[in-house]
Amino acid sequence: MHGEYKVPGGKLVVVDLEERDGRLADVQVAGDFFLEPEEALADIRAALEGLPAEADAAAIAAAVRGGLRPEAAMIGFSPEAVAIAVRRALGRSMTWRDFEWQIIEAPPQTPAMHLALDEVLAREVAAGRRAPTLRFWEWERPAIIIGNFQSLRNEVDLEAAAAMGVETVRRVTGGGAMLVEPGSAVTYSLYAPGELVRDMNFADSYAFLDDWVLKALISLGIDAFYKPLNDISSSKGKIGGAAQKRFSRGTVLHHVTMAYDMDAEKMVKVLRIGREKLSDKGTTSAQKRVDPLKSQTGLPRAEIIRRMRETFVQMHGGVAGAITPEEYAAAEELAASKFATEAWLRHIP
């Protein structure tokens, strides 16, 4: 039985094993990782040998960690990475290719509709009525999107935003506020089965779910890397940020907004926290805090999205999909009853 796991930004872990009488046997661990001293590899194998085949990832990782000699150093991998490779060898941990992905590119929507579609599509995946999906967004109007747990008055200058025609909405995920305008951002959502990240903690799942994006950006000449907990960054500055929500039936909503182009002066005027962070540096330093994809690549926004889509398909598969009339109708109802309401926007004043 054979399992592999590539640590995002790290090394490959390969596990070969047998299952006998419900326990792991003849376990071999290999890969391009670094491990000191080399005798620690025998510690890992010994810790895995005889473990119950039904052990979960946390139990396997704990056994590996507990079996290592005190001076051991795992470089480019971790006990959790070994656990995922073991679970994959046993057929108990899913990979991207175990699912048939749909990729949606739809017409522009209002901010409230985008947020409603996120919830509707995630619940449809959870109910089994929709395949796991990657959706690229198109913004119909300028908007500020604040995190679920942020204070509205602390984050947004509502008078300035209204004067500039910028709508403010609140999403279901945590994280910080962002300003977007049509054509200025690359936003996408993943609606992924919980099984895909079942053996990972929240922090690890962020990097795992966006590894394909880093590869797409790197292929465009951007020195892109993941900065924990949830930032996609580069040597020239932050590019974007991710946020997640786990739904009760196991589906993971993971969405990301990356700056393609930006109006730094407008951002400082409408976002209070951004203004405070930049108050001692001047407006121009906003361009250093968030570095747009346009300035790094010189490519049209559509070309960057095309490369992202191609990279996803090459790595994980996927076919073109569409939002159904029933999903649109459900999202319109949810937008009207929740995301476009003052009660939702101001639930943390």
Side-chain angles (χ1 to χ4, degrees), residues 164-179:
M164 294 183 179
V166 180
E167 183 176 340
T168 302
V169 291
R170 185 186 294 273
R171 60 184 185 268
V172 296
T173 56
M178 58 189 183
L179 169 68

Side-chain angles (χ1 to χ4, degrees), residues 108 138-143 180-185 301:
E138 292 293 339
W139 293 97
E140 185 262 353
R141 65 186 70 162
V180 297
E181 298 182 271
S184 74
R301 176 176 170 276

Side-chain angles (χ1 to χ4, degrees), residues 51-258:
L51 281 181
E54 294 298 326
D56 62 17
I60 297 170
V64 171
R65 188 172 284 106
L68 282 169
R69 59 196 67 200
E71 70 274 20
M74 302 175 75
I75 304 154
F77 75 127
S78 64
E80 287 73 19
V82 174
I84 293 171
V86 169
R87 297 265 297 169
R88 287 184 174 178
L90 293 165
R92 292 176 172 84
S93 185
M94 310 294 280
T95 68
W96 293 90
R97 289 281 183 174
D98 289 318
F99 305 100
E100 296 181 358
W101 291 86
Q102 286 192 8
I103 301 174
I104 293 175
E105 295 183 66
Q109 300 293 329
T110 66
M113 268 295 286
H114 272 309
L115 301 182
L117 281 167
D118 260 1
E119 189 162 328
V120 167
L121 297 181
R123 295 191 184 281
E124 289 298 291
V125 172
R129 291 186 291 267
R130 161 170 287 281
T133 299
L134 165 65
R135 176 173 75 97
F136 290 98
W137 301 24
E138 292 293 339
W139 293 97
E140 185 262 353
R141 65 186 70 162
I144 296 167
I145 305 92
I146 65 172
N148 191 5
F149 310 109
Q150 291 188 296
S151 163
L152 177 63
R153 62 171 170 252
N154 288 343
E155 297 294 330
V156 183
D157 186 328
L158 289 171
E159 289 187 5
M164 294 183 179
V166 180
E167 183 176 340
T168 302
V169 291
R170 185 186 294 273
R171 60 184 185 268
V172 296
T173 56
M178 58 189 183
L179 169 68
V180 297
E181 298 182 271
S184 74
V186 174
T187 305
Y188 64 89
S189 292
L190 283 167
Y191 314 100
E195 292 90 342
L196 183 63
V197 294
R198 180 175 55 195
D199 294 332
M200 302 176 198
N201 59 35
F202 271 90
D204 290 343
S205 70
Y206 272 91
F208 174 77
L209 291 174
D210 282 332
D211 187 53
W212 65 277
V213 181
L214 298 185
K215 288 182 170 56
L217 297 180
I218 290 169
S219 76
L220 292 170
I222 298 173
D223 177 27
F225 55 88
Y226 215 82
K227 185 177 180 180
L229 169 69
N230 62 328
D231 285 349
I232 296 175
S233 194
S234 76
S235 56
K236 295 184 179 180
K238 178 178 173 179
I239 294 171
Q244 270 188 31
K245 180 177 176 60
R246 307 286 176 102
F247 286 84
S248 58
R249 295 185 65 176
T251 299
V252 178
L253 163 62
H254 178 94
H255 51 199
V256 172
T257 290
M258 299 185 291

